Amino acid sequence: MVPDIDAETITRNLEGGMDIQITYPEEIVVGREGVISILVKNNGWENKENISFGISLSAIPGLITEPSDKITLEKLAQGGSYGENISLQIPSDASLGVHYLNLKYSHVLVANNETPKPPFFHDIAIPLTIKKDPSVTIHTKMPESIFSNAEFPIEIEVLSKDIDITNVGIKIIPPKDIEFRGETLHTFSNIQKNMPIAVTSQIITPVKEVNTEYKLPFQIIVTYTDDIGLDKEDSQTVSVVLRPRTFMELTTDGGIWIGSFFIAPYVSLGTIIGIPAGAIISLLIRKKQNSSKKRTKKKKL
């Protein structure tokens, strides 16, 4: 069957309880192959004979169908079903746009499972969109805004909708002063059709604070070899706002900024990154001493 991600379905409920389901590709690239899947079910209580599906090829000159442009069945009993795929070879010089293939269906209903009736005919128009190039999409997921001295995730998903691609490279070109924890270049020997591949890295923002908001552009470049050996390149530019840090900010790893101090996600609230441990102990001792002096003063009075 054609994968659901790039397929459409036509359903017809015809005379005598005959149900037909036709699944066809939403788009086909010139010079490439598409598949039409046909499933017929006899949900009536009478047998059907001389069932046939015939595809008219006149809508797309040079169109080749395999194994044939016609499916025939001698008989389909009550409750029976039958399915078959027809491969479409789109010629390289096919005109772009929407074309309608005419599928002519017929069957003979056997009344009371004894007497054949006159043939029943029904035409079904199958719309096929022929396009010039395969679709390779890039989807980038990242925060809408970021702030200084922190890490943020960036996830890139690549999907080849029409063909298998090979020698795939995914490159992230960051703006100035932005570093990464992880790779900025990912390579794959093969990405299968309709099987998305995702890569994730961590953006490390500059330590220096900013006073105003401004946009940082990230360029994503995907290179690959298509199914006929041509080297291709697709790119995308996404922007994220670098802004001043507010008084309290939660980080993506579970940490928290309170003013200029950072509380790490993997320690208790008493451990504050950026304040020396000695300073904390000194403050606690001083506080204790001040409390003792106050109590002593009260006793003298």
Side-chain angles (χ1 to χ4, degrees):
M1 299 293 288
V2 180
D4 291 339
I5 194 169
D6 66 342
E8 299 289 341
T9 299
I10 296 173
T11 302
R12 294 287 186 270
N13 306 112
L14 304 179
E15 176 186 280
M18 292 295 283
D19 294 341
I20 300 172
Q21 180 176 293
I22 302 169
T23 305
Y24 60 94
E26 183 179 358
E27 297 175 325
I28 307 179
V29 180
V30 293
R32 307 309 204 276
E33 178 183 298
V35 176
I36 292 179
S37 297
I38 298 175
L39 177 65
V40 56
K41 297 180 181 180
N42 184 5
N43 291 321
W45 62 273
E46 296 168 305
N47 296 337
K48 312 297 186 300
E49 295 179 347
N50 300 326
I51 303 164
S52 69
F53 297 85
I55 296 179
S56 172
L57 306 180
S58 59
I60 305 176
L63 177 66
I64 299 174
T65 58
E66 295 179 354
S68 173
D69 59 352
K70 191 170 184 179
I71 298 173
T72 59
L73 295 173
E74 292 184 3
K75 181 179 179 180
L76 194 62
Q78 173 190 356
S81 62
Y82 179 83
E84 189 166 329
N85 293 336
I86 298 177
S87 174
L88 307 176
Q89 296 284 346
I90 306 297
S92 299
D93 59 352
S95 59
L96 306 182
V98 180
H99 302 262
Y100 288 89
L101 294 182
N102 184 50
L103 179 69
K104 185 173 288 293
Y105 168 81
S106 67
H107 72 242
V108 172
L109 185 148
V110 183
N112 299 317
N113 292 329
E114 294 180 355
T115 307
K117 297 184 68 176
F120 169 83
F121 296 97
H122 185 75
D123 290 326
I124 302 173
I126 304 174
L128 293 179
T129 299
I130 298 178
K131 61 181 184 179
K132 183 178 179 181
D133 297 309
S135 295
V136 175
T137 59
I138 307 169
H139 177 69
T140 303
K141 182 180 179 181
M142 61 193 307
E144 292 183 1
S145 65
I146 59 179
F147 51 83
S148 300
N149 201 14
E151 294 188 19
F152 299 89
I154 176 172
E155 181 177 331
I156 300 165
E157 182 184 271
V158 176
L159 171 66
S160 178
K161 186 177 180 182
D162 304 295
I163 59 172
D164 293 349
I165 56 178
T166 57
N167 304 321
V168 183
I170 304 172
K171 186 177 183 180
I172 307 171
I173 302 178
K176 185 180 178 181
D177 298 331
I178 294 292
E179 297 181 0
F180 274 85
R181 189 182 306 283
E183 301 295 330
T184 57
L185 176 61
H186 302 264
T187 59
F188 300 89
S189 59
N190 176 70
I191 295 181
Q192 295 181 3
K193 172 183 174 180
N194 288 325
M195 297 294 291
I197 293 292
V199 297
T200 303
S201 295
Q202 291 290 118
I203 301 170
I204 304 175
T205 55
V207 175
K208 185 178 179 181
E209 294 289 341
V210 296
N211 298 319
T212 58
E213 294 185 357
Y214 60 94
K215 290 184 177 181
L216 296 176
F218 290 77
Q219 187 176 12
I220 316 300
I221 299 177
V222 176
T223 57
Y224 60 92
T225 303
D226 68 12
D227 58 335
I228 57 176
L230 297 178
D231 293 331
K232 298 290 186 68
E233 179 179 302
D234 289 287
S235 63
Q236 179 188 77
T237 299
V238 294
S239 295
V240 62
V241 175
L242 179 63
R243 58 174 174 80
R245 189 173 61 236
T246 60
F247 176 74
M248 182 176 291
E249 292 277 10
L250 295 175
T251 61
T252 56
D253 59 358
I256 183 172
W257 280 97
I258 301 178
S260 60
F261 303 121
F262 179 63
I263 302 175
Y266 47 83
V267 295
S268 65
L269 293 177
T271 303
I272 303 177
I273 306 303
I275 302 180
I280 296 176
I281 296 173
S282 176
L283 289 171
L284 292 175
I285 292 173
R286 185 176 298 175
K287 183 178 179 182
K288 185 176 181 181
Q289 288 175 344
N290 290 337
S291 298
S292 298
K293 288 179 180 179
K294 289 180 179 178
R295 285 197 300 268
T296 303
K297 190 175 183 179
K298 287 181 180 179
K299 286 181 180 179
K300 287 182 179 180
L301 293 173

